[in-house]
Amino acid sequence: MSKHRRYRRALRWSLLLLALVLVLPLVPYAVAAGGTQFNTPGVELWDAVRARVQGPMRTQVEGVQSNQLINYWGDQWRLFRSQLLVPIGAVMLLAMLGIITVFYLVRGRIEIEGGRSGVLVPRFSVNQRVVHWLAATVFIVLGLTGLVLLYGRYVLVPLLGPEGFGVTASACKEMHNLFGPLFPVAILAIMFSFGRGNSFRGIDFQWFLKAGGLFGHAMADSGYYNGGQKTWFWLTVLFGIAMSVTGLILVFPNFGQGREAMAVAHVIHGVVAVGFITASLGHIYIGTLGMEGAAESMTNGYVDAAWAKEHHNLWYAEMERAGMVGVSPNTMEEVKRHDDRDFRGFGQPLGRREPLDPTVSPPNRGPTGGGISPAATPSAPKEST
Amino acid sequence: MARMKFFCDAERCIECNGCVTACKNANEVPWGINRRRVVTLNDGEPGERSLSVACMHCSDAPCQAVCPVDCFYQTEDGLVLHDKDICIGCGYCFYACPFGAPQFPSEGAFGSRGKMDKCTFCAGGPEETASAEEQRKYGANRLAEGKLPACAEMCATKALLAGDADEVADIYRERVAYRGAVGMATGWGVGYGKPGIRSNTIDLTGKAAGRD
């Protein structure tokens, strides 16, 4: 028994000794790891530089942010542009083109179902049309030159070679910079010329529920503008303001706004531009190729009564009541008279029209000779369908 | 093939701006353009440091990645150069560059940017070597003459090193060893070391032993 105990005590002691032999040499290392301080002031400085939190910096060289040692956001901006904007933008634009193509193949051109009536209804005044085409021209120039700058490296450099594309890109950049400052003017003009009648109403939501009658043949009720047109108007205003503000930040580098402001402006500019161009493809399609009788409202300002009845039935009824159906723009004076009327009357949503002044004779309601006349000369003074 | 690099030893730079002046003189850059600049951290406080910064000729250059017209190219020496005939002056390289190297002359409508200008490591550009056209657009081509960039050759304290990356690294490693800051490339307070400290240093290259 006691022999056994002595044996166990010896074992315990030898184990303890072994542990000490193993652990003791580590003690200086442990102390050193926890407690050594090098007297090196530079270390903190370079740690701060690496963490981008260094103190004040100065340089004798004048320039935009020349006193900044490292550009904080440059890499984030580069990754955004090359990994998000370029690929996602391309997918969006190509997807929109694909959707439009499929829609055209499936649905075909949306035609006036009852055929043209030959009776005209005034829709957009000269001022509205001028503003529309001003904005459209500036938009298309800016959109195309912008797309060249965004995708030229991937699409045009293989075709034209770097030197050839350099010339193209240089011209595009100059045009983008020169046309750019016109865009805010165009957007302001759009706001003032098309703002009236573009606030959303209850019937617009019903229009959205029916998807505007794009699918099938049941047309949705609509006043002067339908829900889709109102959406496009407000997109134009919001996107236009965003593009204008960020574009002006980018186009005037001489104010020294610095890299961060310009990179943020570029991010917004790029994202909104891709969305704006994508949406505009839909607008351009439905206004020209996609729908019979739509484009002429923006070319000569008049639409066919049958088209108006199908697509803007409430507005048509209103125009009929006002005696504006069946007028014809035979002379320049006549066109001007209509345009004068525009600013008093048509285009207003239902219920807000001022009563017509009976002393003012209604515009010409019948075929009169001479002067300019659109392709479809009105043959019947009243609606004929 | 050699890979050219700049290195600025912050323990030696005294912010004399000699490199900036040498660069302007060698390359005759336009007014308002500075390809190189000296940035001082904590100016006037104890422990202030200065660094000479220009294009660092990145191996994977952000400017090159982001350029919409693909005007950048890398030489066999690892230099990032660009073609001013292709450049459109959009400024994207300036947004992307970590070091603020790209510079733009203000010309054209609304003070918009002209063709980008930056440090070429005194290696000219894509024009014919030593031609007047190369000199006008890109400045000196000292590398073709067997010289190093003017800024580094002019540096009075030899803080700014330029040349083959391996040799620059050797020189700097020797300095660090001399300073006795084992394991710390930067941060020792004394640039030139104290007499007597040298015998304790580990000479990693074997070059320092015979020199004084």
Side-chain angles (χ1 to χ4, degrees), chain A residues 155-199:
Chain A
V155 179
L156 292 177
V157 168
L159 293 174
L160 304 173
E163 284 81 13
F165 178 63
V167 177
T168 312
S170 202
C172 284
K173 179 219 164 195
E174 293 302 331
M175 278 174 77
H176 203 83
N177 283 359
L178 288 170
F179 274 74
L182 284 178
F183 196 59
V185 178
I187 289 296
L188 275 179
I190 288 271
M191 283 167 68
F192 285 115
S193 317
F194 292 90
R196 194 175 60 188
N198 256 316
S199 48

Side-chain angles (χ1 to χ4, degrees), chain A residues 86-103:
Chain A
V86 167
I88 293 179
V91 166
M92 276 176 69
L93 292 166
L94 292 175
M96 191 63 181
L97 286 175
I99 288 168
I100 288 172
T101 310
V102 168
F103 183 76

Side-chain angles (χ1 to χ4, degrees), chain A residues 297-320:
Chain A
S297 65
M298 267 303 163
T299 52
N300 58 32
Y302 287 77
V303 291
D304 195 275
W307 180 90
K309 219 175 193 177
E310 275 175 26
H311 295 288
H312 298 275
N313 54 346
L314 302 177
W315 171 68
Y316 176 78
E318 196 184 336
M319 292 299 276
E320 205 175 26

Side-chain angles (χ1 to χ4, degrees), chain A residues 85-123:
Chain A
L85 180 62
V86 167
I88 293 179
V91 166
M92 276 176 69
L93 292 166
L94 292 175
M96 191 63 181
L97 286 175
I99 288 168
I100 288 172
T101 310
V102 168
F103 183 76
Y104 181 71
L105 293 174
V106 172
R107 178 74 159 84
R109 188 166 208 228
I110 299 172
E111 292 179 338
I112 302 174
E113 284 192 17
R116 284 178 184 271
S117 67
V119 179
L120 296 182
V121 188
R123 183 145 173 87

Side-chain angles (χ1 to χ4, degrees), chain A residues 38-43 45-46 49-50 54-62 64-71 73-75 77-78 81-82 149 152-154 157 162-163 165-167 169-170 173-174 177-178 181 250-254 258-259 262-263 266, chain B residues 10-11 15 17 20 32 34 36-43 45 47-51 53 62-70 83 85-90 92-101 106 109-115 184 186-189:
Chain A
F38 294 104
N39 185 20
T40 50
V43 165
L45 177 67
W46 300 121
V49 168
R50 256 175 242 117
Q54 70 269 38
M57 290 171 287
R58 281 190 59 186
T59 181
Q60 305 302 314
V61 167
E62 282 184 17
V64 178
Q65 294 177 313
S66 58
N67 67 335
Q68 196 174 317
L69 192 61
I70 296 174
N71 176 11
W73 299 106
D75 206 43
W77 173 80
R78 178 180 68 83
R81 185 175 184 277
S82 56
L149 294 177
R153 178 168 175 177
Y154 313 101
V157 168
E163 284 81 13
F165 178 63
V167 177
S170 202
K173 179 219 164 195
E174 293 302 331
N177 283 359
L178 288 170
L250 289 163
V251 83
F252 293 104
N254 50 331
R259 286 172 297 213
M262 295 183 96
H266 178 275
Chain B
E11 305 307 311
E15 199 203 352
N17 282 288
V20 178
N34 292 286
R36 180 168 282 288
R37 67 191 198 279
V38 178
V39 178
T40 303
L41 305 160
N42 300 332
D43 191 23
E45 294 166 25
E48 84 166 39
R49 291 289 185 285
S50 294
L51 279 170
V53 192
C63 55
Q64 189 173 14
V66 86
C67 177
V69 293
D70 206 5
D83 190 335
D85 292 341
I86 300 176
C87 172
I88 60 171
C90 65
Y92 289 1
C93 50
F94 179 60
Y95 306 155
C97 177
F99 308 108
S106 178
F110 320 131
S112 68
R113 302 181 175 99
K115 310 262 183 206
M184 283 183 289
T186 56
W188 203 247

